[in-house]
Amino acid sequence: MRLLHFTITIVSLAAISFFNTQVQAQNGYKNPVIRGFNPDPSICRVNGDFYLVTSSFEYFPGIPIYHSKDLVNWKQIGHCLTRDSQLPLHQAPASGGLFAPSLRYHNGMFYVVCTNISGGGNFYCTATDPAGPWSEPIWVEINSIDPDIFWDEDGKTYFVTQGDEGIRVTEIDIQTGKTLAPERLVWGGTGGRFPEAPHIYKKDGFYYLMLGEGGTEYMHSATIGRSRYIYGPYESCPLNPILTHANRRGQANPIQGVGHADFVQAQDGSWWMVCLGFRVTQTMAYYHVLGRETFLAPVDWPKNGWPQVNGNGTIALNMKTTTLPLHPFEKKPARTDFNEDKLDFEWQYLRNPIRENYSLTEKKGHLRISASPYTLNETEAVSIVCRRQTEHDFTTSALLEFISSNDNEEAGITLIQNNTHHYDLLLKKSGKQTIVQLRVCIGSLSYIAAEQTVSDNKVLLKIEGSPYQYTFYFANAKGQKYMELSRLDTRYLSTEVAGGFTGVMIGLYASSNGKPSQAKVYYDWYEYQTDEK
Ligand code: 6LW
């Protein structure tokens, strides 16, 4: 009896400690912490909650906002800019629209500071709840990018941005956005090209000014300077660059282009950095399709000393650092049945959507998209909803029914890096037949890679991704097996080929290729799966 009691005690203690490990700090975590196209991260903390924003360019709604309690697990809670009046994106080119945002919390208010390079320039919006709603933009008449706001202890508010020659600072009136003094050039960085992405922090009586330098490609880095005065002169940190993979230590790292960073201090006093970087496909020369993603690194920042990022200024996919106590979020189901009356936060449109082209209520449990005369090649309000490709290895599929009577009409799934680089797996009429087609568009090169006749206007489409290839499949909706249509290289959808600042998005779309049309497509369900834990 005694023995039995003893055994039970041991078992229950084990159970408690097992449970505790789920919410306790863990030795090590995986990077990136926010996967797929999520560049230029900016972060703030309010008590035990962290919030983070990233750039969204020509996509609408703009500026995804994420929440975390441990910096490792993140959940999207909305977008900052959800109304057309906040985010005009009319004919915004690829990688136009919203550049790098900054997120700050001051006196009970959240501020998101950003630039719409396709209309309006610099602005900020406020919210008491970071999930929204956010205010209308307050425009700031300063011509630059990468703005930030810094509040000094004396109550003054400073606007910090990137000009061609370096970082500029000026005092503003936070109620109106009006500048109160001429801008002053405060620091050009360490001599790397494109000194940008400024953030100011005050610590131990110093103003620390962190920058991105080297341009947001393979030479990217984060550097830092400090001064006793906000307007400088800034002294460069002897450890600069405090973060980069553009050196021998970083040359073989599967993460490249690290830079554009922001610091946050956790409640336990520990310092952390979020930065962008990209996961490369390793061939003779690197390339990347996932866009720039958000990474996390520990920072050692002693009193009166300089910040040191993860020991030697590099980061890894598998970080060895002990985390904060973990608060994971429930994993989202792979399948969307379109039963809700709103699309989930991971979905975005290209530019301000024409609202009547989309419905989740017309046919219960279906997403209806009406064909637009705009094609995917145009910088217009194309009929499309997109989500990020978040891993090299993934499977995506959808069941769709296309109501169409003309050969010029098409609907399907596209892998789109930008309007001049996309692979389209589509369904269309061809005379009396219905066909699935795989169309390639790489710059001025466009061709049909494969096509097959199908017996019905209701089909299953599927795409499998891997580091080097995308494989495209189709099946008749009536339970037939998937047939492979063709394979295409991932390389031609990479940023190295396509240019720009975004990543591959997976889009559900419909187009009537320049002609007015009644065609519409009903997506019954959509699925996206990866092995990522
Ligand atoms: C952004 C600049 C950058 O404005 O990329 O990585 C630009 N850095 O700071 C576009 O995201």
Side-chain angles (χ1 to χ4, degrees):
M1 191 62 197
R2 256 194 115 160
L3 189 65
L4 181 63
H5 175 76
F6 182 61
T7 319
I8 288 171
T9 312
I10 289 184
V11 169
S12 54
L13 275 179
I16 289 167
S17 72
F18 172 75
F19 177 74
N20 279 347
T21 57
Q22 303 299 297
V23 292
Q24 288 308 306
Q26 158 184 302
N27 211 357
Y29 64 89
K30 276 197 168 32
N31 259 327
V33 288
I34 308 181
R35 294 168 172 255
F37 149 49
N38 271 293
D40 310 326
S42 179
I43 188 166
C44 72
R45 177 178 66 82
V46 182
N47 303 319
D49 296 288
F50 299 95
Y51 300 97
L52 186 150
V53 290
T54 59
S55 301
S56 53
F57 302 93
E58 72 270 36
Y59 289 91
F60 187 95
I63 313 186
I65 180 153
Y66 300 90
H67 171 236
S68 173
K69 285 189 163 292
D70 57 21
L71 293 169
V72 170
N73 297 290
W74 290 93
K75 182 183 176 183
Q76 190 174 354
I77 54 170
H79 287 92
C80 298
L81 307 180
T82 53
R83 305 186 295 276
D84 293 341
S85 56
Q86 296 167 310
L87 179 55
L89 286 172
H90 181 62
Q91 294 181 337
S95 288
L98 294 178
F99 270 27
S102 182
L103 182 67
R104 292 295 180 256
Y105 181 75
H106 181 70
N107 282 349
M109 192 71 98
F110 288 90
Y111 291 77
V112 71
V113 198
C114 196
T115 319
N116 183 345
I117 66 149
S118 305
N122 285 321
F123 67 91
Y124 54 92
C125 296
T126 57
T128 46
D129 180 348
W134 287 79
S135 74
E136 286 301 298
I138 297 166
W139 299 97
V140 179
E141 281 179 13
I142 289 181
N143 191 12
S144 64
I145 58 162
D146 296 5
D148 193 11
I149 293 180
F150 172 76
W151 285 269
D152 210 343
E153 286 143 355
D154 60 5
K156 289 186 176 167
T157 308
Y158 294 92
F159 206 70
V160 188
T161 65
Q162 182 248 15
D164 289 341
E165 352 55 31
I167 305 312
R168 299 188 224 145
V169 176
T170 190
E171 203 186 326
I172 61 160
D173 175 346
I174 196 62
Q175 301 307 322
T176 61
K178 295 260 178 300
T179 55
L180 298 177
E183 286 182 89
R184 285 162 71 168
L185 177 65
V186 302
W187 198 39
T190 65
R193 62 183 180 175
F194 302 119
E196 59 191 11
H199 291 298
I200 290 186
Y201 315 85
K202 199 162 187 187
K203 186 174 179 294
D204 312 324
F206 287 104
Y207 296 89
Y208 284 86
L209 172 53
M210 180 156 66
L211 310 189
E213 280 192 59
T216 185
E217 294 102 16
Y218 288 85
M219 293 304 288
H220 211 20
S221 67
T223 58
I224 197 161
R226 73 180 181 190
S227 174
R228 292 280 178 196
Y229 309 97
I230 192 158
Y231 288 118
Y234 282 83
E235 172 203 355
S236 177
C237 170
L239 301 171
N240 274 332
I242 56 170
L243 171 78
T244 194
H245 287 182
N247 55 22
R248 189 180 48 73
R249 267 202 300 267
Q251 68 193 16
N253 197 308
I255 310 161
Q256 290 293 313
V258 294
H260 198 130
D262 198 3
F263 288 127
V264 71
Q265 189 174 28
Q267 261 178 316
D268 66 359
S270 59
W271 283 91
W272 299 83
M273 169 188 267
V274 288
C275 66
L276 68 73
F278 41 86
R279 284 182 281 168
V280 288
T281 296
Q282 308 225 20
T283 56
M284 293 295 270
Y286 295 144
Y287 67 90
H288 68 287
V289 295
L290 300 176
R292 301 167 301 156
E293 308 178 276
T294 293
F295 294 79
L296 176 73
V299 176
D300 180 21
W301 200 345
K303 193 165 169 26
N304 295 319
W306 293 99
Q308 203 167 338
V309 181
N310 195 33
N312 68 1
T314 68
I315 57 170
L317 292 177
N318 290 306
M319 297 292 290
K320 304 275 188 278
T321 319
T322 304
T323 65
L324 299 174
L326 290 182
H327 289 264
F329 296 106
E330 205 179 310
K331 215 178 165 217
K332 287 185 92 158
R335 183 176 282 209
T336 310
D337 277 314
F338 300 119
N339 283 327
E340 311 295 325
D341 59 2
K342 268 196 181 142
L343 287 174
D344 231 333
F345 296 133
E346 76 252 34
W347 294 98
Q348 280 175 288
Y349 304 96
L350 266 170
R351 306 174 190 85
N352 306 95
I354 299 168
R355 300 293 193 292
E356 61 266 26
N357 284 348
Y358 308 88
S359 173
L360 284 159
T361 51
E362 183 187 307
K363 189 171 173 186
K364 193 71 203 139
H366 292 75
L367 166 67
R368 185 264 292 158
I369 303 183
S370 300
S372 141
Y374 299 131
T375 69
L376 297 176
N377 301 336
E378 288 165 89
T379 54
E380 289 288 353
V382 185
S383 276
I384 188 169
V385 293
C386 317
R387 52 146 304 139
R388 290 161 179 78
Q389 181 187 339
T390 59
E391 298 297 328
H392 291 112
D393 294 289
F394 72 93
T395 305
T396 194
S397 51
L399 171 59
L400 56 129
E401 181 177 15
F402 191 32
I403 313 297
S404 153
S405 41
N406 297 302
D407 287 9
N408 57 290
E409 297 158 344
E410 62 180 70
I413 310 182
T414 178
L415 299 177
I416 184 162
Q417 171 67 257
N418 62 25
N419 60 302
T420 47
H421 295 76
H422 46 95
Y423 296 159
D424 316 321
L425 177 60
L426 60 98
L427 185 65
K428 71 186 287 280
K429 285 208 154 309
S430 175
K432 288 204 165 47
Q433 296 183 317
T434 303
I435 58 172
V436 286
Q437 235 180 30
L438 177 62
R439 185 179 51 215
V440 174
C441 174
I442 311 160
S444 56
L445 310 175
S446 182
Y447 70 98
I448 305 301
E451 71 179 37
Q452 289 280 339
T453 311
V454 284
S455 55
D456 200 11
N457 65 337
K458 196 169 180 181
V459 294
L460 289 153
L461 300 178
K462 180 167 93 163
I463 306 172
E464 280 174 4
S466 70
Y468 299 97
Q469 279 189 322
Y470 295 114
T471 310
F472 299 83
Y473 304 87
F474 70 98
N476 277 317
K478 297 192 190 82
Q480 245 189 19
K481 280 214 339 218
Y482 277 110
M483 290 195 9
E484 183 178 320
L485 193 59
S486 193
R487 294 171 184 219
L488 296 172
D489 296 338
T490 55
R491 174 187 294 273
Y492 304 114
L493 294 189
S494 69
T495 300
E496 285 74 358
V497 172
F501 300 127
T502 57
V504 170
M505 300 285 271
I506 303 165
L508 309 180
Y509 82 100
S511 169
S512 52
N513 289 293
K515 296 188 187 156
S517 157
Q518 298 299 315
K520 46 190 179 177
V521 57
Y522 294 96
Y523 289 88
D524 190 337
W525 53 258
Y526 168 80
E527 218 171 80
Y528 177 78
Q529 268 173 307
T530 68
D531 289 337
E532 203 254 312
K533 301 282 177 304

